[in-house]
């Protein structure tokens, strides 16, 4: 059995964040954590806006947003002209779904690893248009080849108007072979939307090389940007068809400005987002990725052992830089959405530890993240305390 050793801490990294030191924050993947320096950049922008709102919002703002967009798109290996800033990944998905012109007889296909809010967005748009939603089950232990074949076999050319697939899944922390999936779907004439919510900052990516028709991802998780910062990347042939959810004054400017401009929206998260990437680069992008992935793997192993899960039964996430790991909970624990939420709140209240608990395919899963502000001792404390808490149910 191969021992999993925690990485050496990155000196000073914990001091970059204003997180409550009395709490173990092991769930960076849900809402991220904004470094203090980035908070200050955003506050200066807010101060500028409040000093003269009319000037801030009407003189040069679109150019400033475009500059931030170019910076973020370049980091992600995406075409800046085909990239729009949006509030979050779910918003980007909703924009795409609303722009497709779905009709009765059409279908949107996704997998059972999809994010809950995205699944609800698909269901709502299908109800509105008379289209159908179909979910493909993909076993967690499936190989990359099996994943691609499962998805390929589930498409129906001529009827499947969109395939929605995760780059890195939220519920199961599984890295999908998205480039191969896109290639297989395109051979059947099916466009693809890739949900890359957790990718920016965590994983090395060149969005253009993925080849998806649409790719969405959050910068406010692993990219250290203020919350409310995400990108929607659209292939050139689709850009003129993309419509915002709300029409505003940049409507005639085309994509991406027509999607970005929402009048009195707070644009300071987008303008401050490059400071998040500056923080990441200052720490060392590769160094942070290696640290976070190793720490998540360590946490998965020690918590899994405490719950009696053999290392061979811990899911393989198929990516050396994946900084989220899941541990299966005992049978009957947190098998529903409500039960998972209740358990997460109990862990937060009684163990002073923030984790994610998900219910996937009728089973509860504990999701742990690794971030530069975490230390091995936090996972060790959780491993000691969690079994007794679960026994109290």
């Amino acid at each position: 059995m191969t021992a999993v050793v925690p990485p050496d801490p990155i000196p000073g990294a914990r001091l970059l964040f204003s997180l409550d030191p009395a709490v173990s924050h092991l769930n960076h993947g849900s809402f991220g954590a904004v470094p203090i320096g980035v908070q200050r950049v955003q506050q200066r922008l807010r101060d500028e806006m409040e000093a003269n709102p009319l000037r801030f919002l009407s003189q040069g703002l679109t150019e400033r947003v475009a500059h931030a967009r170019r910076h973020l798109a370049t980091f992600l290996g995406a075409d800046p002209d085909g990239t729009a800033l949006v509030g979050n990944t779910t918003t980007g998905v909703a924009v795409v779904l609303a722009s497709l012109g779905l009709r009765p007889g059409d279908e949107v296909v996704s997998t059972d690893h999809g994010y809950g809010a995205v699944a609800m967005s698909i269901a709502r748009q299908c109800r509105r248009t008379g289209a159908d939603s179909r979910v493909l089950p993909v076993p967690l232990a499936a190989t990359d080849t099996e994943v691609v074949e499962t998805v390929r076999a589930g498409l129906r050319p001529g009827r499947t108007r969109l395939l929605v697939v995760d780059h890195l899944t939220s519920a199961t922390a599984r890295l999908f072979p998205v480039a191969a999936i896109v290639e297989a779907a395109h051979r059947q004439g099916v466009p693809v939307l890739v949900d890359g919510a957790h990718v920016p900052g965590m994983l090395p990516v060149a969005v253009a090389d993925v080849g998806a028709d649409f790719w969405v991802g959050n910068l406010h998780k692993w990219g250290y940007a203020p919350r409310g910062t995400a990108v929607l990347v659209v292939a050139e042939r689709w850009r003129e068809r993309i419509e915002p959810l709300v029409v505003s004054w940049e409507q005639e400017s085309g994509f991406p400005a027509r999607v970005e401009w929402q009048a009195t929206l707070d644009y300071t998260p987008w303008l401050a987002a490059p400071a998040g990437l500056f923080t990441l680069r200052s720490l060392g992008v590769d160094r942070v990725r290696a640290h976070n992935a190793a720490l998540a793997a360590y946490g998965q192993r020690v918590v899994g052992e405490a719950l009696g899960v053999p290392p061979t039964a811990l899911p393989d996430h198929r990516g050396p830089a994946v900084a989220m790991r899941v541990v299966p909970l005992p049978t009957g624990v947190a098998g529903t959405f409500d039960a998972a939420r209740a358990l997460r709140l109990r862990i937060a209240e009684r163990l002073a530890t923030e984790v994610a608990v998900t219910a996937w395919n009728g089973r509860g899963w504990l999701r742990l993240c690794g971030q530069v502000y975490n230390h091995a001792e936090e996972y060790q404390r959780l491993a000691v305390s969690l079994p007794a808490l679960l026994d109290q149910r």
Side-chain angles (χ1 to χ4, degrees), residues 313-380:
L314 294 172
D316 176 6
H317 301 282
R318 305 184 184 280
V322 174
M324 299 195 305
R325 302 289 177 123
V326 295
V327 178
L329 292 169
T331 302
V333 175
T336 67
F337 176 85
D338 289 340
R341 180 178 183 275
L343 177 58
R344 178 183 66 79
L345 294 174
R346 286 176 60 211
I347 293 172
E349 178 182 350
R350 300 189 186 185
L351 305 184
T353 301
E354 297 291 354
V355 297
V357 181
T358 61
W360 184 75
N361 282 0
R363 179 159 193 177
W365 300 81
L366 182 76
R367 193 189 73 189
L368 300 170
C369 298
Q371 188 48 264
V372 296
Y373 51 73
N374 294 130
H375 296 284
E377 293 78 9
E378 295 176 294
Y379 306 91
Q380 295 165 2

Side-chain angles (χ1 to χ4, degrees), residues 91-384:
T91 299
V93 170
V95 168
V96 173
L97 290 170
S99 301
L100 286 178
L102 294 173
R103 297 176 297 181
D106 294 338
E107 68 176 12
V108 178
V109 173
S110 57
T111 80
D112 60 352
H113 294 255
Y115 186 58
V118 170
M120 288 188 282
S121 186
I122 293 171
R124 184 185 69 168
Q125 194 62 23
C126 287
R127 284 196 305 269
R128 287 176 169 177
T129 61
D132 295 320
S133 171
R134 194 156 51 85
V135 178
L136 304 176
V138 178
L140 184 57
T143 66
D144 285 354
T145 300
E146 290 168 341
V147 171
V148 175
E149 178 55 26
T150 297
V151 174
R152 185 205 63 77
L155 302 177
R156 297 190 284 197
R159 183 171 181 185
T160 305
R161 289 289 308 282
L162 183 69
L163 167 65
V164 181
V165 65
D166 291 73
H167 202 140
L168 177 63
T169 67
S170 177
T172 56
R174 166 67 196 265
L175 185 65
F176 273 10
V178 288
I181 291 173
V182 169
E183 182 181 0
H186 282 178
R187 283 200 297 267
Q188 299 188 68
V190 175
V192 183
L193 186 160
V194 172
D195 178 349
H198 291 276
V199 171
M202 185 205 291
L203 303 178
V205 64
V207 173
D209 292 343
V210 173
D213 302 83
F214 315 99
W215 191 96
V216 288
N218 292 320
L219 273 297
H220 55 241
K221 293 179 184 284
W222 304 89
Y224 299 152
R227 290 171 200 89
T229 306
V231 295
L232 165 61
V233 183
V234 178
E236 187 170 4
R237 70 187 184 96
W238 290 97
R239 292 172 192 170
E240 288 306 309
R241 296 179 57 177
I242 297 298
E243 294 285 349
L245 299 177
V246 178
V247 173
S248 196
W249 285 103
E250 291 294 327
Q251 176 67 17
E252 300 307 315
S253 298
F255 185 86
R258 65 163 52 142
V259 170
E260 292 174 335
W261 182 253
Q262 294 295 309
T264 51
L265 184 75
D266 183 359
Y267 299 91
T268 62
W270 300 353
L271 300 182
L277 295 185
F278 176 81
T279 303
L280 181 60
R281 291 188 176 106
S282 297
L283 292 170
V285 177
D286 293 339
R287 182 188 190 191
V288 168
R289 286 172 175 162
H291 170 276
N292 292 348
L295 196 55
Y298 175 77
Q300 180 193 43
R301 178 65 68 87
V302 297
V303 174
E305 289 177 349
L307 296 181
V309 182
T312 54
L314 294 172
D316 176 6
H317 301 282
R318 305 184 184 280
V322 174
M324 299 195 305
R325 302 289 177 123
V326 295
V327 178
L329 292 169
T331 302
V333 175
T336 67
F337 176 85
D338 289 340
R341 180 178 183 275
L343 177 58
R344 178 183 66 79
L345 294 174
R346 286 176 60 211
I347 293 172
E349 178 182 350
R350 300 189 186 185
L351 305 184
T353 301
E354 297 291 354
V355 297
V357 181
T358 61
W360 184 75
N361 282 0
R363 179 159 193 177
W365 300 81
L366 182 76
R367 193 189 73 189
L368 300 170
C369 298
Q371 188 48 264
V372 296
Y373 51 73
N374 294 130
H375 296 284
E377 293 78 9
E378 295 176 294
Y379 306 91
Q380 295 165 2
R381 287 196 299 268
L382 178 62
V384 169

